[in-house]
Amino acid sequence: MRVVVPFAAETPKTRLESVLSPAERSAFARAMLADVLRAIVRAGHEPAVVSTAPLDLAALETPGEVAAAASLTVDDRPLTEAVNARLPTDDGADPVAVVMADLALATPDALEALTTAAADVAIAPGRGGGTNALVVDHPAFRVDYHGLSYLDHRGIAREIGATLETVDSFRLGSDIDEPADLVEVLVHGRESDRAPAVLREFGFELERRDGRVAAVRDGGPTA
Ligand SMILES: Nc1nc2c(ncn2[C@@H]2O[C@H](COP(=O)(O)OP(=O)(O)OP(=O)(O)O)[C@@H](O)[C@H]2O)c(=O)[nH]1
Ligand SMILES: C[C@H](OP(=O)(O)O)C(=O)O
């Protein structure tokens, strides 16, 4: 299945600005992208990165065959427009998946649950009501991202008479947006993933305190 991976390449992850410098945010966003692309390729799909600016996929620290299987298109339109330009328009067209580049915990198995859902539209919502990943197999469905897009997308599916399945997935539901989310990367990231390795290179580590865990750096709390 063709899997569109939108990527904001220029000033990514601004909500992490209290804990990461611009250069670190850029490196961390690319590390998460590398992990997402690897999970998609290992699940047997072809990632099509849609980036707001040119990007060297071969420079991502990911196995060569992953970079080779991925394609890149530069499209500087806003997210919703860039994605809608790539959704199926004809009956009988192949389904298209859209997987965000900040799903650092994504695994092939989690993606499999999404791509095998038997509905016109399958959505893996994020905590807080975003649409972290979806599959569209209906010619009239169009996305409208930001805000409570999961509920908006349910409404759009209802309006056009499309069947919808919600995919209940911790790994696809965890988009990494805010400092507190870094804990999830350090706890649940896998040994071979780039994103937790990059955070550790930056000096982040887990610290247990009063029954909860925080991601701390250089001894001080950040999340
Ligand atoms: N192609 C494209 N991708 C985008 C755009 N905005 C966000 N993305 C990507 O869409 C996904 C979800 O992005 P968000 O978490 O909403 O935004 P972000 O830029 O990553 O982070 P913030 O700056 O903290 O909002 C990520 O994979 C982004 O890289 C855009 O305008 N165009
Ligand atoms: C892409 C967008 O992300 P958010 O702005 O909720 O992080 C959404 O899921 O609608």
Side-chain angles (χ1 to χ4, degrees), residues 66-77:
V66 172
S71 66
L72 176 85
T73 310
V74 175
D75 187 332
D76 63 4
R77 287 177 285 183

Side-chain angles (χ1 to χ4, degrees), residues 5-9 11-16 50-52 75-79 82 99-102 146 175-177:
V5 182
F7 187 64
T11 50
K13 294 288 137 212
T14 54
R15 282 170 282 176
L16 293 174
V50 177
S51 175
T52 54
D75 187 332
D76 63 4
R77 287 177 285 183
L79 178 63
V99 174
M100 294 314 186
D102 58 357
H146 296 305
D175 46 336
I176 306 304
D177 288 332

Side-chain angles (χ1 to χ4, degrees), residues 13 15 79-80 100 102 124-133 144-150 152-153 175 177:
K13 294 288 137 212
R15 282 170 282 176
L79 178 63
T80 292
M100 294 314 186
D102 58 357
R127 283 169 292 124
T131 300
N132 286 3
D144 183 4
Y145 282 113
H146 296 305
L148 268 174
S149 66
Y150 166 59
D152 295 340
H153 289 149
D175 46 336
D177 288 332

Side-chain angles (χ1 to χ4, degrees), residues 98-145:
V98 182
V99 174
M100 294 314 186
D102 58 357
L103 305 187
L105 308 186
T107 57
D109 284 353
L111 290 167
E112 183 78 8
L114 177 78
T115 56
T116 56
D120 297 330
V121 180
I123 300 183
R127 283 169 292 124
T131 300
N132 286 3
L134 86 165
V135 176
V136 179
D137 190 12
H138 191 291
F141 185 85
R142 293 294 173 266
V143 294
D144 183 4
Y145 282 113

Side-chain angles (χ1 to χ4, degrees), residues 31-108:
M32 292 197 287
L33 172 66
D35 293 339
V36 168
L37 295 182
R38 190 168 55 116
I40 292 168
V41 172
R42 296 281 190 260
H45 304 294
E46 298 149 30
V49 179
V50 177
S51 175
T52 54
L55 179 72
D56 184 3
L57 293 181
L60 295 175
E61 288 195 48
T62 188
E65 72 271 18
V66 172
S71 66
L72 176 85
T73 310
V74 175
D75 187 332
D76 63 4
R77 287 177 285 183
L79 178 63
T80 292
E81 270 181 64
V83 168
N84 279 333
R86 291 169 172 82
L87 295 182
T89 52
D90 301 320
D91 271 326
D94 289 338
V96 173
V98 182
V99 174
M100 294 314 186
D102 58 357
L103 305 187
L105 308 186
T107 57

